[in-house]
Structure formats: C-alpha cells, structure tokens
C-alpha cells in the first residue's frame, strides 16, 4: 500500500486501498454512461473494490466509506485529486448529541434553500441536490452520517406515527417518507407544524429545494401530490457506521 498522504496515481490503485478526496467528484451508477448515483465532497474517503486492470476502462469501482455506498468513479476525475489515507472511523454520536445538533441541520437546509438550485438526481454536494442527498448532506454538515438513499434512510430511522393532517408526534428534524405502499421513493425533513423541507424534481415538484406541508389546508399542487404519497416518518437516533446497506 502507498505511504499515507501519497497523491493518487493509477499505478498505486490496488483493491482494498483507501483514499481521501481533495476535491469533490461524481460517483456514477454504472461502469459507463453519465448517470449519477451520488457525489463525494472533498474530504470523503473511499475504498477501491477493483484494481484498474480489473475495472471497466476509465472507471474504478469503489465504496464510499462514510455511508458504505458503492459507485463508479472516473479515473480522470480522481488522479491527483485524492491522497492515500487510513480507513475512516465513524463518530457514533448518541441520541442526546444528535438532538443537540438538529437546529444546525435545519439551519443548513434553510441556507441551501436560499441559494439558487435545481433538482439533481444523484446530487449530494450542492447547490443542486436530490431528496435524500439534501437530507444526508444536511446531517453530515454537523457530523451525523445517514445512509445515502431515501428507502435506506427510512429503514435506518426509528419509526414515528404520522398521517396527513396529524403531526402531533413529529419533532423538528424528523424525516418524512413518501412513495408507494411497496417502496419509499422520496424523503423530506420536518421543520415543525407539519411543514417540511425537501428537494423535488420537475414533474411533481419544485425543481429544487422548497417547503410544503402535510396538512390538507396546503392546497399547492406539490403539497397535494406528496401528501397523497405519505408513507410515514422516522427519527434519527443514531449515526450510520459506514456499513454497506442493501
């Protein structure tokens, strides 16, 4: 393995080696094509799954260590843009510490909403984000790591009862989950009083970060669409340890 701090070069990439990014890069869904799966901000660490000779030409299969998320990175985007690193070790905050940081999470989202942005599938770096990327990045800004995707975040949280028009058990910072009876496809974060922040797309959303409400008095088409798909809510009571999730 290369010495810690060594700049990334193709000949140093070995399966199992760990690197820390010095710039933000894209994580692609497949070995070819432009489809994003996620993004990785400067400072994040990744582990190489396949060495370059085993990988698709020009792409490297990796796992991001903070959330255990697998994706592909373009060699041209990471050569010279990462340094050899020790493995990432999670800071597993207790529930009290997490509650203390929730106002900062909500403040981060409010600031993100105030900047020009559009919805970006796979976006986690900003200003353009997808729904679960907004949630994950907001929590990560305070040192709380969550799983990457909305359905994973739903499974990770402690369930909280909610239904359209009834937010009595919700607290600011709880997550709201939307989708079909079979699967969670969208996530937002409760602001208070049934209002929530979320990043939604163009077809049924606001093409970026906005605020809607689960109460029937909010008759905006976006609020109505997601209220009809409300699945439940969850409370963040622990930090993700970086385990890869199905």
């Amino acid at each position: 393995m290369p010495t810690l701090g060594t700049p990334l070069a193709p000949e140093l990439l070995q399966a199992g080696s760990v690197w820390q990014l010095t710039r933000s890069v894209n994580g692609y869904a497949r070995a070819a094509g432009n489809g994003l799966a996620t993004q990785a901000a400067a400072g994040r660490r990744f582990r190489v799954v396949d060495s370059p000779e085993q990988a698709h030409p020009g792409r490297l299969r990796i796992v991001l260590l903070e959330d255990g998320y697998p994706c592909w990175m373009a060699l041209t985007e990471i050569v010279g843009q990462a340094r050899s690193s020790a493995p990432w070790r999670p800071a597993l905050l207790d529930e009290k510490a997490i509650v203390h940081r929730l106002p900062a999470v909500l403040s981060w989202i409010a600031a993100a909403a105030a900047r020009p942005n559009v919805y970006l599938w796979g976006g986690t770096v900003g200003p353009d984000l997808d729904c679960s990327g907004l949630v994950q990045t907001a929590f990560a800004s305070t040192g709380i790591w969550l799983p990457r995707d909305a359905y994973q975040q739903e499974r990770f949280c402690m369930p909280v009862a909610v239904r359209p028009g009834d937010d009595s058990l919700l607290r600011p910072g709880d997550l709201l989950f939307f989708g079909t009876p079979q699967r969670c496809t969208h996530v937002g974060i409760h602001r208070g009083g049934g209002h929530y922040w979320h990043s939604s797309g163009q077809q049924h959303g606001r093409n970026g970060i906005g605020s809607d409400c689960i109460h029937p008095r909010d008759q905006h088409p976006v609020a109505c669409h997601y209220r009809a798909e409300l699945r439940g809510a969850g409370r963040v009571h622990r930090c993700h340890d970086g385990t890869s999730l199905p």
Side-chain angles (χ1 to χ4, degrees), residues 160-213:
V160 177
V162 65
R163 57 186 175 87
D166 184 0
D167 66 292
S168 59
L169 297 180
L170 291 181
R171 301 174 187 170
D174 286 345
L175 303 188
L176 289 163
F177 301 107
F178 308 85
T180 67
Q182 292 75 34
R183 185 177 176 88
C184 175
T185 59
H186 189 69
V187 60
I189 182 168
H190 186 232
R191 301 175 60 185
H195 296 270
Y196 61 95
W197 290 113
H198 63 143
S199 181
S200 54
Q202 295 186 52
Q203 184 176 6
H204 300 294
R206 299 177 178 275
N207 192 26
I209 304 170
S211 182
D212 288 288
C213 186

Side-chain angles (χ1 to χ4, degrees), residues 26-32 35 37-38 50 54-62 70-74:
N26 290 328
Y28 297 96
R30 296 177 178 83
T38 192
D50 296 327
Q54 298 171 301
H56 187 279
R59 291 271 172 98
L60 188 70
R61 193 156 63 103
I62 64 97
C71 61
W72 297 79
M73 286 184 174

Side-chain angles (χ1 to χ4, degrees), residues 127-156:
D128 303 329
L129 302 156
D130 66 16
C131 65
S132 55
L134 172 68
V135 169
Q136 186 192 53
T137 306
F139 276 86
S141 73
T142 70
I144 304 167
W145 276 101
L146 302 181
R148 170 64 181 92
D149 291 334
Y151 74 93
Q152 296 171 332
Q153 293 171 1
E154 182 184 49
R155 295 173 183 173
F156 185 79

